[in-house]
Amino acid sequence: ERLRGDLDELRVHVYDATSGKEHAAFVVPAHACPTASHFLYTLGRFCEFESGFRLEELRWLRAVPGGAGRGPRVQRLPCDLAMLEEVLSMPPPRPPLFLCVAPAPRALEHALP
């Protein structure tokens, strides 16, 4: 699974899903990442160092077209190889990668059987 495309670096923004506040903005270099898995690992390390959140705690904010006369919607998807493949399939210049902190489940939900 070689790293496809002409990716030199990827700009990343991490937001709070509730308040919309930006936690971090950074650039992940891709030149030292021979595979998509290695780049995903590197992205995870940068996320943890720059924002304090592990990649598993974040969701990808993916814009999708809205329906009949509505503007675009945003889907919250896992940060995984499928996300990376879609981002790499975009023609340069690529837009930044927007991630958000996944809201923690309510304590009450944990208490329910």
Side-chain angles (χ1 to χ4, degrees), residues 24-107:
F26 51 92
V27 175
V28 180
H31 60 273
C33 301
T35 66
S37 293
H38 189 247
F39 185 81
L40 197 63
Y41 170 79
T42 303
L43 173 62
R45 299 290 293 175
F46 268 77
C47 286
E48 194 167 354
F49 180 78
E50 297 288 343
S51 72
F53 296 101
R54 295 184 339 265
L55 200 55
E56 297 81 20
E57 297 174 283
L58 300 172
R59 295 294 174 264
W60 173 35
L61 297 173
R62 179 179 178 246
V64 293
R70 296 160 65 205
R73 299 182 309 120
V74 174
Q75 292 178 323
R76 293 181 190 170
L77 300 171
C79 299
D80 57 12
L81 285 173
M83 169 199 73
L84 188 56
E85 284 295 319
E86 186 166 327
V87 169
L88 290 176
S89 72
M90 296 176 187
R94 290 179 183 86
L97 183 63
F98 294 103
L99 306 177
C100 74
V101 179
R106 294 186 190 112

